[in-house]
Amino acid sequence: MANFLAQFLSIKNSCERLVIAVEDVSDLWPLVKKGFEERVPFKRATLNNKTRNPVFVDNLPAEFILTTDARLRSRFPQEQLLFSFREPYATVILVTCEDLDEFKTILKPRLKLITQNDEREWFIVFVSRAPPHNDQATKLAKKVYARLEVDFSSKKRERCCKLDINGPEASFWEDLESKITECVRNTLDRRIQFYEEEIRKLSEQRFKPVWSFCNFFILKESLAFMFEMSHLHEDSLREYDELELCYLETVNIAGKQRDFGGMEHGDDQAALLNHQKKPLTQIVQDDSFREFEFRQYLFACQAKLLFKLNRPFEVASRGYSFVISFSKALALHESMLPFCLREVWIITSCLSLADATAARYSNGLVGPDIEREYYRVRGELYSLCRAKFMRLAYLLGYGSAIERSPVNSASLSMLPWPKPAIWPSVPADASSDVLAKEKMLLQVTPRVKHFGIQRKPLPLEPTFLLREANRRRASLSVGNASEIFDGRTTSIDGSGSAAAMSRTNSTPGSFESSIDRPMKLAEIIVAAEHALQKTISDPSLWASFSSLDEFEQKYLELSKSAAENYHNSWWKRHGVVLDGEIAAVCFKHGDYDLAAKSYEKVCALYSSEGWEDLLADVLPNLAECQKILNDQAGYLSSCIRLLSLDKGLFLSKERQAFQSEVVRLAHGEMEHPVPLDVSSLITFSGNSGPPLELCDGDPGILSVILWSGFPDDIMLESLSLTLNATSNADEGVKAIRSSGATILNPGRNTITLSLPPQKTGSYVLGVLTGQIGHLRFRSHRFARGGPAESDDLMSYEKPTRPILKVHKPRALVDLAAAVSSALLMNEPQWLGIIVKPINYSLKGAVLHIDTGPGLKIEESQPIEMEMYTYTDTSKSANGLNDKNNTSTDMETQLTLKDGSLELPGWASDITSVLWVPVRAINEGLARGTSAGTVSPERPSVVDGLRTVALKLEFGASHNQTFDQTIAVHFTNPFHVSTRVADKCSDGTLLLQVILHSQVKACLTIHDAWLDLQDGFVHTGQTDCRPTSAFFPLVVPSSSKAGILFSISLKTTVTEEEVKAMNPDSVLNIRYKIDGNRNLGSHTPMSVGTNGSEDDVTQLLTFKSAIVLQRPVLEPCLAVGFLPLPSGGLRVGQLFTMKWRVERLKYLEEENKQDEVQYEVNASSEHWMIAGRKQGHVPLSIKQGSRIEISILCVPLTAGYVRPPQLELPNIGEANISCNPAGPHLVCVFPPPLSSSYCIPAS
């Protein structure tokens, strides 16, 4: 079967469409040919794929060929089976007949003979040529067609269709297309089954010695080509995939040595997209094919199908995988291949794949994920091509033009050198080329980095080229082994030119390429150049190596293509890294603007990923571009970023150079000064201790830790720090500023800032701003304060712990009266004011005292202050602890100046009491009451109240104030009440005077006398003294004492005495008080307590007015309460309450009025009054006249309640006699019970 390979290829190249055979029985083809050929390709067809699933095919190609054509004649049966894909897929039989007898005798037997082959798919087209106006001919044609259908069609399948040339034909063409499609489908199914059976038979013999891959290939590709002609591209692609797997299995069978291929001229150019580059007959080898050409042929066929399926992204993906896998196969046979064929083939294959897929791809063709993956694969293709291109350029001596960047070093240092069997030798006539190369190597000088940064250059070679090339020579001269390893010490720093200088220090002599002498670097380069020129067959590719400019142009083109595709994929970081390589070329050619933009992208990537080692390699280049472009802001930022990198990446002198540039620009004149962000260089934090706590309105001193990353000291002309409130987002930012210049030392610095009063809340550090020279900077990064010994600890985490807490307005101090009991009225007393700081210092506090009306300060006496001690067992009424005793360790006498005094220092943080000498003034005379009255007219507490307004100014700058008004109660020592104890028969009255103590002190009465009002006289005593003189009389606190006076009424009073009559009696008491100022009333400070003075001078005098009334012996009116109803009172029942008023005598005060005013008072809760509550009733002025006052009442509540009372407002109580007196309480019964019941209807 392998002999048919050439014939198979010829048939395959000539066969492009499905063949539809035309059996022209009645010579009708010239008549219908145009109409038939206009219908191809078929717009819509349904075919079955290999798995017998229906597939819709658009534009199915087909070709109509007469059975008499030479292309369908003279074929051997074996050819028809082997190449059945070119055989007709359907047979169209064209017939016509106008006579039924002719059909039966001539046409029918011939059709039976044509259709007797069961393997052919056929159908009959009956062409009617009857004119429309000839009914007879039309009828005959219909009869003939009907008979044709009966004879050749069946219920299972219609095999006939009718074409009326002179009539409508729209439905015929649809019927024709469906029948052709049906025939093609059935034929295709049989042929697929045939090929599968043959392929299965060969597959079972695959591991036998007689098995031939060529036979398997012809069958497999015939099936694949048949699918391709039928537009079943998915099935065709699947066959090629299986064919490739089968071929790889045969290639890997051990024991068979095959020719790999790739030795012919032009094989360096990849044929991944050109399956017709070499005929298969040229690459056949025994029973198989050469691997180099055949694997590319298979991929080209696959790529062709994928392009037809409109899947260029899959071509790129498969192509990249194929390049990687095929390059490994090339590496295995590299010693037998031309020099650097592997590298050249990879370059051409990557470029062809990238160009072809880009030409056939349009955005939006696939989903976004597949699109990004497509661009990633294209980026990988360009990146691989770029790496191989640089490897060849390095071999040709362009290594000095390649940027020694991390990405280039990573690509080339891990890329092995070419491995030919023998390294190429220098041609005999290449002496001038060697001299030129040596001169070029000597002239190369490495570029010095900005800031004088010295770094070991990154390597661009896996091993020393000199050693590798000489090792692969046929033999080595042991005596010259030192030359082989000459580059070891000089290439450590990565400088290839320095190594070349050491190797080319002698003048080259003859270049016979003696095999005993090791080659020098220039000779290796020249030898590689001549060998590579023979390998590369593409003129455009070799032109890229013709000069340094051409190389850089091609290198830049590949780098830009790779970067652009990476940017469109999800490997954007790879694109940014390649932007750095583009920037290096732009910088070399003076395009600093474009270089700076690319370097900025690279630096941004390295910074975001935290790759500081890579950033330290690129950032100086960006700074140099910015300096050349006079971009002062960018240059400053780059210097700051260089200083922010890890200290181990640069030497100390290099870091100092960075700082000197910053200081130079900061103190110079910048055209457009911009704020500089030093967040990565200067960080800050609060102290490690608790936050500073202040009260609302308090200033303070805030201590902040600054971490400086500068290598030397640096001066900050100004410094400010903002505080952000954590509780209230709407609260504005508070800025605090330093008072002067600040010098930052490297590492940790502690500074203090004056803190103005802040509002309530918690504050965290915000933004640090300041000024270096004329340059303003800001930092918004936060450092975690570490231990004192770790000055280099820096963390950029935002703090959550507040640095300042300003508490809400609260009571910082409390001012209260020391005692709650009353002090003596009209006497000098010590007013105690307790000053209690509440977790707040009162250092330097000033107290302002302002007394209210009726109270004054005794300025003759000094103000005393002492410490106040507390007890835990009792608390006073005002919320402060009572005092057990007062410590005398801390006592101070203060002087009041303009109503103010300053508290001593010892009282700043402890509770103290301030004793102020005051006197409450009351010019009125105390008045006594009668003991028998129901509501005695005792003096009101409000009359003895006095107020003291206190204002305390405290805080760091007296910014805190506390206002408090203290109410102090003053009272007289006694309250006096009187009553007549007894009335003697001779008219003498015994007047008892009761003294109620009103102070918390012990009172001792030494003397008392009563100055009587007019109308009364003392009996028995002439000095107004009491009848019993048990003095001194001690009255304890809250106790009573009584004094008895004997008085009588004065019988006669003259007119002069009446005019000068004194209405009040005055009680005079001489007493002494024994009390403690910590408890209440006490001995006035003006009275000596040391016992040196006379006792008389220590006595105090108290006077009280007493009103004595002459008794009413004969009342003028009598009011009697009439009895209530005998049945008792019930709630809700109306009854009449009656009083009787009788005149006993005429009273001159009534002014002869013959009527009396009355008023009934009753509780509204207990009684409802139905009549008038008040009014006037007539009452004669004659003695004995009477009248009854009655009113209707309704009880509201049950129980004992007070009844309504009758009062006579115009008559004094002394002139009214209640006889009989009314009851105090009356009994009211509940309402009577009520019940109801139902009577049934009769």
Side-chain angles (χ1 to χ4, degrees), residues 480-496:
N480 294 331
S482 59
E483 284 193 57
I484 300 178
F485 305 103
D486 184 43
R488 172 171 299 183
T489 57
T490 56
S491 291
I492 290 178
D493 60 351
S495 176

Side-chain angles (χ1 to χ4, degrees), residues 888-1181:
T888 58
D889 296 337
M890 297 182 181
E891 294 183 359
T892 305
Q893 289 188 350
L894 307 175
T895 303
L896 193 67
K897 295 181 180 180
D898 297 330
S900 303
L901 57 88
E902 183 176 355
L903 301 185
W906 58 265
S908 61
D909 54 356
I910 63 173
T911 303
S912 58
V913 60
L914 191 69
W915 297 104
V916 182
V918 297
R919 182 194 296 269
I921 301 173
N922 187 2
E923 297 180 354
L925 196 61
R927 303 190 66 84
T929 59
S930 176
T933 58
V934 178
S935 299
E937 299 179 358
R938 298 184 63 124
S940 175
V941 177
V942 179
D943 297 337
L945 286 180
R946 300 292 186 270
T947 59
V948 179
L950 303 175
K951 180 179 180 181
L952 184 64
E953 296 179 352
F954 58 99
S957 57
H958 287 183
N959 58 298
Q960 298 285 355
T961 59
F962 180 75
D963 296 324
Q964 180 77 1
T965 300
I966 298 176
V968 186
H969 183 209
F970 291 87
T971 185
N972 294 314
F974 301 103
H975 172 68
V976 180
S977 61
T978 60
R979 75 182 185 90
V980 179
D982 194 8
K983 181 180 179 183
C984 301
S985 57
D986 57 354
T988 302
L989 300 176
L990 294 179
L991 180 64
Q992 185 180 17
V993 178
I994 303 172
L995 303 178
H996 304 262
S997 175
Q998 297 188 123
V999 296
K1000 283 189 177 181
C1002 182
L1003 300 173
T1004 303
I1005 302 174
H1006 289 270
D1007 192 7
W1009 67 93
L1010 180 61
D1011 296 329
L1012 292 174
Q1013 63 190 65
D1014 295 334
F1016 295 92
V1017 295
H1018 289 276
T1019 60
Q1021 297 287 344
T1022 58
D1023 55 358
C1024 302
R1025 296 298 194 272
T1027 56
S1028 58
F1030 298 102
F1031 298 117
L1033 177 62
V1034 178
V1035 183
S1037 173
S1038 302
S1039 300
K1040 298 180 182 180
I1043 303 176
L1044 195 62
F1045 290 92
S1046 176
I1047 61 174
S1048 62
L1049 298 175
K1050 192 174 182 181
T1051 56
T1052 59
V1053 180
T1054 63
E1055 291 185 6
E1056 291 76 7
E1057 292 177 350
V1058 172
K1059 293 179 181 180
M1061 185 175 292
N1062 188 6
D1064 296 332
S1065 299
V1066 178
L1067 176 65
N1068 300 277
I1069 298 176
R1070 297 277 290 175
Y1071 68 97
K1072 184 178 180 182
I1073 184 170
D1074 185 10
N1076 190 344
R1077 66 181 182 182
N1078 296 313
L1079 300 177
S1081 300
H1082 52 276
T1083 305
M1085 72 286 293
S1086 59
V1087 179
T1089 57
N1090 53 8
S1092 60
E1093 299 183 8
D1094 189 14
D1095 289 342
V1096 178
T1097 61
Q1098 299 180 10
L1099 298 180
L1100 306 176
T1101 302
F1102 169 70
K1103 294 183 178 182
S1104 177
I1106 301 175
V1107 179
L1108 301 178
Q1109 296 183 353
R1110 294 168 63 88
V1112 181
L1113 301 179
E1114 296 178 358
C1116 62
L1117 293 177
V1119 179
F1121 183 80
L1122 299 183
L1124 295 175
S1126 59
L1129 305 180
R1130 287 189 179 275
V1131 174
Q1133 288 185 355
L1134 187 67
F1135 76 97
T1136 303
M1137 184 170 285
K1138 300 179 181 180
W1139 291 272
R1140 184 185 62 207
V1141 181
E1142 181 180 358
R1143 186 180 294 279
L1144 300 180
K1145 69 173 185 177
Y1146 172 71
L1147 184 62
E1148 295 181 356
E1149 298 176 358
E1150 296 184 27
N1151 298 324
K1152 299 182 179 180
Q1153 294 182 0
D1154 57 356
E1155 63 180 10
V1156 177
Q1157 181 182 0
Y1158 74 93
E1159 182 178 353
V1160 177
N1161 293 326
S1163 174
S1164 61
E1165 296 179 359
H1166 301 153
W1167 301 95
M1168 183 177 68
I1169 307 300
R1172 297 180 61 183
K1173 292 184 179 181
Q1174 59 183 358
H1176 293 79
V1177 295
L1179 182 61
S1180 175
I1181 61 175

